Amino acid sequence: MAAKKTRRSRGDGALFYRADRDRWMGRINVHGKPRTVSARTKTEARYKLDQLRRAADDGLPVITRDRTVAELLELWRTKALPNRDLSPARIASHDWAIRILTHELGGIKLQALTVDDVEAALARRTIPADEQPTPRKGRGRTATSALSRNSLIKLRSTLSQALTWAQRRDLVSRNVAALAELPTGAANQRTGKSLTVEQARQLLAAASGTELEAMWTLMLYLGLRPGEAAGLSWSDIDFTAGTIHIWRARTTNTDGSATIGATKTPGSIRTLEAPQVVLESLESHRQRQDEHADALGPAWSNPDNLVFTSPTGRPADPKAVRNEFDRLITSAGIEGRWTPNLLRHTAASLMADAGLPIEHVADQLGHKDLRMLQQHYRHRIKPTVGGAHVLDSVLGANPPSSDG
């Protein structure tokens, strides 16, 4: 039987009914190629046809409601993420989440994706690798270690952002990720270890006179991230006012090279009071850097006026900094495996132990909310005391009594 056609405006495509298939069909040229849609009702067929036309008008790759979650995630990664002002670390975090989500949910069609699907995928990621069932064929999932609750939150957030992007384009009717709950078996992220007061003093003593003494002192007293310390410029330090402005950070590119860019989050931008011990350490470091630059001559290049650099003035290499920290830990006689970020965690722990209000600790570390701090230091919070230089007193020669 001949198909019954419905006339539409030029460029809108053709809409017709095929009795032999008992389906409404739509046909339109997209990017020079004919595309066809089908549906049980005329309304649904018109909707699908309009989706194709709008995508073509917007210059977007065509993705319709019969496409899979994997296709949506890839489109969101290549079309949406580049338009956001995200740090390389944040983009890498989304890429990590997309890989897992593609394994878990990639083969499911967008219109078939349910809250139960999302919750089941998150629940599977709480199961240790050696207890996971055999992965499904095709776009199944790969075995991995169990994820913390924070990691599961990141997975759900990435999927939710991609589905919100799809929802604005009428590719899905609702954001099922936003409705999904985390599994009850999700473990909280392990609280990072920190140095004791005595260990922190040992580390500072061992750092005395070393090339990066000022970096370790700065990070321990101010609670900076390693990237924030490495991104610090001399113009960010006001020696007269005794303050340090944090607004940039060193980031590591996909090829391993280091560059100076934005801080981890906008909330990380802050101005901190610096104790005299930190300012004196920085003054000594500046004198040594000036002497080194003069000795190197034209080979020295520090266009960002960085406080901590490579031997030739470029941004400090993250691997070299970690290796230097390993040597420092050994020299200080501190056992175990430690990373430079432990200085930040140690600063937070010692401030919380000393009774500094948790809100002040959050401001010091550049956290926009208290959730993470309350999770990690809830058991450490004591009656509050004030003082911008609390760590100076804690790590000084006569620390206050823990009962005081």
Side-chain angles (χ1 to χ4, degrees), residues 73 76 81 84 90 93-94 96-98 101 118 122 149-165 175-180 182 368 371:
L73 290 172
W76 182 74
L81 283 186
R84 300 186 180 189
R90 186 60 62 88
S93 178
H94 281 306
W96 164 84
I98 287 172
L101 292 167
V118 177
L122 296 175
R149 186 177 184 86
N150 283 357
S151 293
L152 294 178
I153 290 174
K154 291 178 181 177
L155 285 182
R156 184 177 61 179
S157 174
T158 294
L159 180 58
S160 180
Q161 290 178 58
L163 289 175
T164 296
W165 186 82
N175 186 341
V176 295
L179 303 173
L182 295 178
K368 64 181 180 180
R371 180 181 59 84

Side-chain angles (χ1 to χ4, degrees), residues 215-231:
M215 176 179 277
W216 313 133
T217 304
L218 179 73
M219 291 172 61
L220 182 57
Y221 276 88
L222 270 63
L224 301 190
R225 298 179 177 92
E228 292 173 342

Side-chain angles (χ1 to χ4, degrees), residues 25-315:
M25 311 294 294
R27 184 176 295 134
I28 191 173
N29 284 330
V30 178
H31 306 318
K33 296 181 180 180
R35 294 294 299 269
T36 302
V37 298
S38 69
R40 293 190 178 277
T41 67
K42 183 178 181 180
T43 299
E44 186 179 0
R46 181 184 292 112
Y47 180 87
K48 290 184 176 181
L49 201 61
D50 289 341
Q51 288 298 302
L52 288 175
R53 180 178 53 76
R54 278 202 291 269
D57 292 343
D58 293 341
L60 295 173
V62 174
I63 178 169
T64 57
R65 288 187 163 201
D66 61 346
R67 298 303 177 92
T68 63
V69 174
E71 290 173 297
L72 169 65
L73 290 172
E74 177 61 17
L75 186 61
W76 182 74
R77 185 185 69 82
T78 57
K79 292 297 181 181
L81 283 186
N83 295 326
R84 300 186 180 189
D85 187 18
L86 300 178
S87 67
R90 186 60 62 88
I91 292 176
S93 178
H94 281 306
D95 286 341
W96 164 84
I98 287 172
R99 286 194 297 271
I100 294 178
L101 292 167
T102 298
H103 280 299
E104 291 288 350
L105 302 167
I108 301 176
K109 290 187 177 181
L110 282 177
Q111 288 303 295
L113 184 66
T114 65
V115 174
D116 287 341
D117 290 330
V118 177
E119 291 182 344
L122 296 175
R124 285 193 294 271
R125 286 296 164 168
T126 67
I127 305 173
D130 57 359
E131 297 179 13
Q132 290 182 356
T134 303
R136 298 184 299 271
K137 292 182 179 180
R139 288 191 178 228
R141 57 186 183 81
T142 56
T144 186
S145 58
L147 298 178
S148 70
R149 186 177 184 86
N150 283 357
S151 293
L152 294 178
I153 290 174
K154 291 178 181 177
L155 285 182
R156 184 177 61 179
S157 174
T158 294
L159 180 58
S160 180
Q161 290 178 58
L163 289 175
T164 296
W165 186 82
Q167 195 174 22
R168 288 200 297 268
R169 288 156 179 80
D170 292 327
L171 297 175
V172 293
S173 57
R174 63 174 182 162
N175 186 341
V176 295
L179 303 173
E181 297 181 349
L182 295 178
T184 56
N188 286 325
Q189 189 174 25
R190 249 182 340 187
T191 300
K193 57 184 179 180
S194 63
L195 298 173
T196 64
V197 171
E198 185 57 37
Q199 287 175 321
R201 289 175 181 160
Q202 289 176 230
L203 184 140
L204 290 173
S208 180
T210 63
E211 182 182 354
L212 293 180
E213 174 188 1
M215 176 179 277
W216 313 133
T217 304
L218 179 73
M219 291 172 61
L220 182 57
Y221 276 88
L222 270 63
L224 301 190
R225 298 179 177 92
E228 292 173 342
L232 191 66
S233 169
W234 288 114
S235 60
D236 300 329
I237 305 172
D238 188 331
F239 286 95
T240 302
T243 59
I244 297 178
H245 186 52
I246 308 300
W247 66 284
R248 299 188 305 175
R250 179 204 61 211
T251 58
T252 304
N253 301 319
T254 54
D255 62 358
S257 62
T259 57
I260 304 301
T263 55
K264 185 176 181 180
T265 65
S268 298
I269 298 175
R270 58 205 188 277
T271 298
L272 304 175
E273 289 184 304
Q276 191 61 33
V277 63
V278 172
L279 297 173
E280 290 175 356
S281 181
L282 288 169
E283 283 277 21
S284 297
H285 182 79
R286 180 165 62 175
Q287 182 177 348
R288 290 195 299 270
Q289 187 184 82
D290 288 343
E291 293 172 353
H292 178 73
D294 290 342
L296 214 57
W300 174 262
S301 176
N302 185 7
D304 292 309
N305 198 27
L306 297 175
V307 175
F308 306 106
T309 69
S310 73
T312 59
R314 307 305 299 172

Side-chain angles (χ1 to χ4, degrees), residues 347-359:
S349 298
L350 296 182
M351 283 188 283
D353 284 345
L356 192 69
I358 195 67
E359 295 85 358

